[in-house]
Amino acid sequence: MYRKAVLLSIFLVLSYGFWLSPDIKQIAAGVAIFLFGMLLLEEGFKAFTGGVLEKILQKSTKGLFKSMSFGVITTTMMQSSSLVSVITISFLSAGLITLASGIGIIFGANLGTTTGAWLIAGFGIKVKISAYAMPLLVFGVILVLQKQKDLKGLGYVLAGVGFLFLGISYMKEGFETFREQIDLTAYAVSGFKGLLLYTLIGILATVIMQSSHATLVLIITALASQQVTYENALALAIGSNIGTTITAILGSISANINGKRLAAAHLIFNAVTGIIAIAMISNLIMLVDWIAQNLDIDNDNYTLKLAIFHTLFNLIGIIVMLPFINRLVTLLMRLLPEKTHAIAEPVYLNKASIELPETAVEAVRKETLNLYHYFFGIICHGLSLRVRDIKSDKPVKEIIESEKKPIPVNIQEEYTNKIKRLYGAIVDFISQANENMTQEQMNEVYELRSAGRLMLESIKGAKHLHKNLSRHLNDPNPYIREEYNKIRYRLGSILRGLAELEKDPDEERIVLPTLEAMRQEMKQADEQFFNDIDQHIRAHHITGTMATSLMNDNSYAKQIAKKLLKIATILFKNRDTTMHEVEQSLQLDEQEIADALRADKNTDKDCSPEEKTDHEDK
Amino acid sequence: MKINELINLADDYLNSKNRKQKSKIKCLKHILKKLRKREKKLESKRQKGVNDNDKEKISSELKLIHAHRKKGLTLLKQLQQELNEAKKSKKDKAGDI
């Protein structure tokens, strides 16, 4: 309702303006064309985000300096700090980069966006850029009509740049004729009051247009046609720098807590930079004059001086804020803490990731891992084991012996509130995100979805097992208690193995032999189980009914174990496709496993470890 | 560098089969190193003194790792041999011309 009212008021004000003066119409049309150009530019760059951008981002954001440079370069190339900040938020939400790296990119983007002022002030105002716009639009539209994704993307970029140029040209012409009729400088407010007032106008203009670039073009064109005073233009630039954070704030609404933290960091950085610029305005003006003098820029070339000012105060902001990045991260973590949910909410799935295929795959992978952590907890509790014990170094046998009483847990409720809910969100997200995915990416998300389904099925088994386990753990018959504890030990050992596997860093993790060993152990334990049951029945330690119950629960345990291993194979597999394929080619068949387990390692003379080392190092 | 050598280098790079083979060899070496690391880790864990049950588990995994490494090594030798043979036959062909 509120938004509709605002929109209606904007329409009314604009309509009145259009009726009042055709020049306002021309300036507004220029802004609209400019914004449309930016939309096309964003659309164009999205076409290249099917892998290349993500890979570059991952590699170039290791370390603060790298991430800052990345922010500067990408924003200079794309001429949109908003696009870079929104993409950064989506990457942070998907867990591809750290918060510190994200902040580094945002800092860099703030500096990169100042190149726009230089381009417009140095090039856009002097040259008739609408002449460049036409061929760009023609080539762009032809390419947009192509089917190939890359060509289409390039078409959008060209058309976007074309519209940007056209928009600037319209604004420039509008202001030039406007100058002849109305003198806006008559409304100039000098002094500190003017500084604050025009900063506020700059903020508002950027919030409405959602582009500091568009505001800056408006300021520069107005300044070039002397519609605003130099001092007021500086204040407008400060305001536009603060107002630009609105895009990131809006982008973070659908993002997770890390995305929100980054948007907050963006706001803090730009607000602090703005306050510094306002506080030091007279010193900055003197510094700008000195730099302009040294760069041979005319004293009355206020547009280029504005570009210097814009770069300078952003640079000062970075220099001031850089030493406090880690403190800023800590502060944001404290101010915006991670919520613990009784009801599981998706952490990594957000709208911002849907349109970027590689980010979407990563988001699904991380969310499935999140689901796995809930699942892991439920399975542990279902076996009356504590997650912290399973993840510790304490021997599993000791844990079983110390936790003899069943842990009260409502598996059905946990399943409904956490697993089913989260899995539903993953399934929904996949069906929305797979439109832009390649076949390989689709296979990957479908595999992850199947891991989730295996978790759902295992929980159903765990529910039955938990019911009988809770009853028999308090059973006066020591034999049946012992058998149920053996089941707990078997599954507990697998859970311990998986926890260790997850703890291993990616570069050290090798799942093949570990899971194979677990599979063999499971097989042996199953055989042993039936031998033990036969013995207990023969010795009248347990009744036939008890044996049936045990056999049913053993079957549940076996199914859960099998599924746990399948889930681990999917979640912890090597993410490099070739590496995964090669790893799979080393898989042993039944006979090879049997031979390997029979063989005594020391008597194997086929190939000594030294010989192997030589070969591998060659 | 002579022009022929340059052409050979470019040909080597563009030959997708060769490139795949090389990348496979690289991955295999990496996996073999990972297996060796895991082997060392488990051996030191076993030496640190764990209970009999865990000792048995570690032994089984070590045996399997050994079998995987053996299989990997055979595959590595085979891939390296195939690559050498391909290079050799290319050289022979170039010599004939």
Side-chain angles (χ1 to χ4, degrees):
Chain A
M1 185 65 200
Y2 167 74
R3 280 188 179 189
K4 275 182 190 166
V6 172
L7 192 67
L8 196 69
S9 337
I10 292 173
F11 270 42
L12 285 172
V13 170
L14 281 174
S15 306
Y16 178 67
F18 296 162
W19 175 74
L20 208 67
S21 156
D23 299 323
I24 293 181
K25 202 155 58 186
Q26 197 169 8
I27 295 167
V31 175
I33 294 171
F34 186 87
L35 288 175
F36 183 65
M38 285 197 54
L39 286 179
L40 288 186
L41 212 59
E42 285 194 25
E43 191 64 37
F45 279 112
K46 271 180 197 164
F48 300 105
T49 55
V52 185
L53 191 65
E54 287 87 343
K55 273 178 195 146
I56 294 172
L57 189 67
Q58 269 175 312
K59 278 194 182 167
S60 38
T61 53
K62 279 180 190 162
L64 191 62
F65 182 72
K66 269 189 173 181
S67 38
M68 253 180 62
S69 316
F70 179 83
V72 175
I73 294 166
T74 44
T75 314
T76 307
M77 274 166 62
M78 296 185 193
Q79 282 301 302
S80 166
S81 62
S82 313
L83 179 66
V84 173
S85 60
V86 170
I87 290 182
T88 310
I89 286 173
S90 80
F91 276 76
L92 189 65
S93 293
L96 282 172
I97 53 171
T98 61
L99 182 60
S101 298
I103 294 176
I105 296 175
I106 295 287
F107 281 17
N110 264 301
L111 197 60
T113 197
T114 62
T115 55
W118 283 95
L119 288 175
I120 303 153
F123 172 71
I125 300 298
K126 302 268 184 297
V127 186
K128 193 170 164 45
I129 53 170
S130 59
Y132 294 101
M134 301 307 165
L136 282 170
L137 285 175
V138 174
F139 291 133
V141 170
I142 293 173
L143 287 174
V144 165
L145 296 173
Q146 302 303 308
K147 277 185 183 165
Q148 212 181 317
K149 198 182 157 196
D150 291 351
L151 287 180
K152 213 181 183 65
L154 184 66
Y156 276 120
V157 171
L158 289 183
V161 176
F163 277 117
L164 290 186
F165 284 3
L166 199 65
I168 294 171
S169 164
Y170 265 91
M171 280 187 252
K172 203 170 93 180
E173 281 171 26
F175 270 113
E176 271 163 13
T177 43
F178 197 53
R179 186 178 55 171
E180 288 156 17
Q181 292 163 18
I182 303 168
D183 185 16
L184 265 185
T185 42
Y187 300 99
V189 183
S190 58
F192 191 66
K193 214 166 91 183
L195 190 66
L196 290 182
L197 180 71
Y198 274 82
T199 304
L200 201 67
I201 294 173
I203 295 175
L204 283 175
T206 316
V207 167
I208 291 168
M209 290 191 275
Q210 285 200 28
S211 162
S212 64
H213 217 66
T215 317
L216 218 59
V217 175
L218 210 60
I219 300 165
I220 291 171
T221 41
L223 187 64
S225 55
Q226 290 152 17
Q227 283 293 320
V228 285
T229 62
Y230 175 58
E231 283 76 20
N232 288 163
L234 297 185
L236 283 170
I238 298 171
S240 81
N241 222 48
I242 301 171
T244 193
T245 52
I246 189 74
T247 320
I249 292 168
L250 289 177
S252 73
I253 290 173
S254 63
N256 66 8
I257 193 72
N258 270 328
K260 288 187 175 73
R261 283 171 186 157
L262 187 66
H266 195 12
L267 179 67
I268 291 172
F269 172 74
N270 287 31
V272 168
T273 310
I275 292 166
I276 292 170
I278 291 172
M280 294 170 61
I281 191 80
S282 47
N283 299 325
L284 278 172
I285 292 175
M286 283 198 302
L287 194 57
V288 169
D289 286 341
W290 182 78
I291 293 171
Q293 218 171 10
N294 284 302
L295 289 175
D296 278 341
I297 294 169
D298 293 338
N299 207 29
D300 58 350
N301 192 344
Y302 291 116
T303 51
L304 272 179
K305 277 166 93 175
L306 178 78
I308 298 176
F309 174 78
H310 196 219
T311 310
L312 202 64
F313 85 80
N314 269 298
L315 200 63
I316 290 174
I318 291 176
I319 293 167
V320 170
M321 292 293 285
L322 215 54
F324 301 106
I325 275 202
N326 287 334
R327 282 191 193 173
L328 186 62
V329 172
T330 323
L331 178 77
L332 290 168
M333 297 266 204
R334 217 175 41 218
L335 289 178
L336 299 166
E338 208 111 33
K339 282 179 192 161
T340 45
H341 300 284
I343 290 174
E345 298 284 352
V347 182
Y348 301 98
L349 311 177
N350 57 70
K351 280 181 190 162
S353 314
I354 285 184
E355 288 180 43
L356 309 171
E358 202 135 309
T359 323
V361 174
E362 193 56 23
V364 173
R365 203 183 71 80
K366 295 244 174 185
E367 201 61 68
T368 313
L369 263 174
N370 186 29
L371 176 75
Y372 167 77
H373 292 138
Y374 283 115
F375 160 76
F376 193 90
I378 296 173
I379 296 286
C380 283
H381 293 157
L383 293 166
S384 293
L385 302 169
R386 294 193 191 277
V387 178
R388 62 162 188 272
D389 288 338
I390 289 293
K391 290 191 173 174
S392 71
D393 292 331
K394 201 171 164 187
V396 182
K397 247 201 173 108
E398 269 179 38
I399 300 172
I400 304 280
E401 276 160 17
S402 61
E403 285 291 347
K404 281 183 177 165
K405 285 195 173 165
I407 298 176
V409 56
N410 187 340
I411 294 191
Q412 183 57 41
E413 198 182 290
E414 294 274 298
Y415 168 75
T416 316
N417 290 346
K418 291 175 180 166
I419 304 295
K420 204 174 166 190
R421 199 182 159 94
L422 211 50
Y423 185 62
I426 293 173
V427 172
D428 270 355
F429 183 85
I430 290 175
S431 61
Q432 282 178 57
N434 68 7
E435 275 179 23
N436 307 322
M437 287 181 185
T438 61
Q439 192 56 47
E440 202 180 316
Q441 287 167 332
M442 277 207 277
N443 290 344
E444 193 165 347
V445 290
Y446 290 156
E447 200 180 27
L448 289 166
R449 194 173 63 182
S450 75
R453 204 187 56 241
L454 288 168
M455 291 181 214
L456 258 74
E457 289 167 8
S458 305
I459 295 222
K460 284 181 185 166
K463 204 170 75 183
H464 294 291
L465 184 60
H466 175 252
K467 209 170 78 186
N468 289 337
L469 203 69
S470 305
R471 201 171 63 224
H472 291 298
L473 279 183
N474 290 325
D475 204 292
N477 184 334
Y479 299 102
I480 196 148
R481 277 206 314 264
E482 192 194 331
E483 284 311 314
Y484 271 102
N485 276 333
K486 276 184 191 167
I487 290 177
R488 287 174 76 204
Y489 175 73
R490 261 154 66 190
L491 286 175
S493 301
I494 291 177
L495 290 169
R496 161 66 58 82
L498 298 189
E500 281 175 358
L501 211 55
E502 197 188 352
K503 221 164 38 182
D504 277 343
D506 273 357
E507 61 275 10
E508 274 180 32
R509 188 187 293 152
I510 181 110
V511 292
L512 210 59
T514 315
L515 295 185
E516 200 59 74
M518 286 185 198
R519 212 165 279 134
Q520 292 311 312
E521 198 188 321
M522 214 171 75
K523 224 168 154 184
Q524 284 170 7
D526 194 48
E527 283 166 15
Q528 187 61 44
F529 169 82
F530 283 101
N531 286 340
D532 292 348
I533 290 287
D534 282 344
Q535 267 185 10
H536 286 316
I537 295 173
R538 271 199 298 271
H540 302 290
H541 290 149
I542 57 171
T543 63
T545 325
M546 282 174 174
T548 316
S549 172
L550 258 174
M551 275 190 266
N552 279 339
D553 290 328
N554 178 62
S555 164
Y556 285 131
K558 208 169 129 183
Q559 280 170 28
I560 294 170
K562 262 187 184 173
K563 280 168 188 153
L564 273 171
L565 296 184
K566 271 189 194 168
I567 293 165
T569 314
I570 296 170
L571 293 186
F572 304 133
K573 75 171 188 184
N574 204 312
R575 284 157 69 191
D576 183 300
T577 324
T578 324
M579 202 75 99
H580 176 66
E581 276 170 14
V582 173
E583 203 176 318
Q584 286 306 302
S585 68
L586 299 188
Q587 191 119 34
L588 304 172
D589 60 30
E590 290 292 318
Q591 190 56 48
E592 284 170 324
I593 292 170
D595 290 345
L597 293 175
R598 249 197 321 267
D600 184 354
K601 194 185 160 190
N602 298 328
T603 57
D604 181 14
K605 287 172 186 167
D606 289 349
C607 172
S608 69
E610 289 74 23
E611 209 180 314
K612 286 174 193 172
T613 314
D614 289 347
H615 259 286
E616 287 160 28
D617 292 339
K618 255 180 205 170
Chain B
M1 193 181 275
K2 283 177 187 173
I3 193 84
N4 273 350
E5 286 173 20
L6 266 174
I7 292 170
N8 279 343
L9 265 178
D11 187 46
D12 255 5
Y13 182 76
L14 293 172
N15 188 334
S16 67
K17 199 186 163 193
N18 265 3
R19 222 173 46 230
K20 268 187 193 167
Q21 200 95 328
K22 276 183 188 165
S23 124
K24 256 190 180 178
I25 289 174
K26 201 177 154 193
C27 290
L28 193 53
K29 280 183 180 173
H30 187 72
I31 288 168
L32 285 169
K33 271 189 186 154
K34 268 190 184 180
L35 282 168
R36 207 169 62 206
K37 263 190 192 169
R38 175 86 185 150
E39 198 173 25
K40 278 183 185 167
K41 196 177 165 185
L42 286 176
E43 267 164 5
S44 76
K45 202 174 167 185
R46 188 168 59 175
Q47 276 166 9
K48 266 181 196 168
V50 283
N51 60 38
D52 289 348
N53 228 319
D54 287 345
K55 237 178 212 173
E56 203 180 314
K57 271 186 206 167
I58 292 173
S59 296
S60 303
E61 194 176 334
L62 278 172
K63 282 176 186 173
L64 287 167
I65 289 177
H66 188 67
H68 281 302
R69 285 187 61 195
K70 209 167 127 185
K71 195 170 180 175
L73 208 70
T74 317
L75 192 64
L76 182 67
K77 271 183 193 168
Q78 192 190 323
L79 287 171
Q80 278 171 338
Q81 207 172 349
E82 277 173 22
L83 195 72
N84 287 339
E85 272 169 18
K87 271 186 189 169
K88 207 178 159 191
S89 73
K90 217 177 85 185
K91 261 188 187 172
D92 289 346
K93 269 185 196 171
D96 289 346
I97 293 165

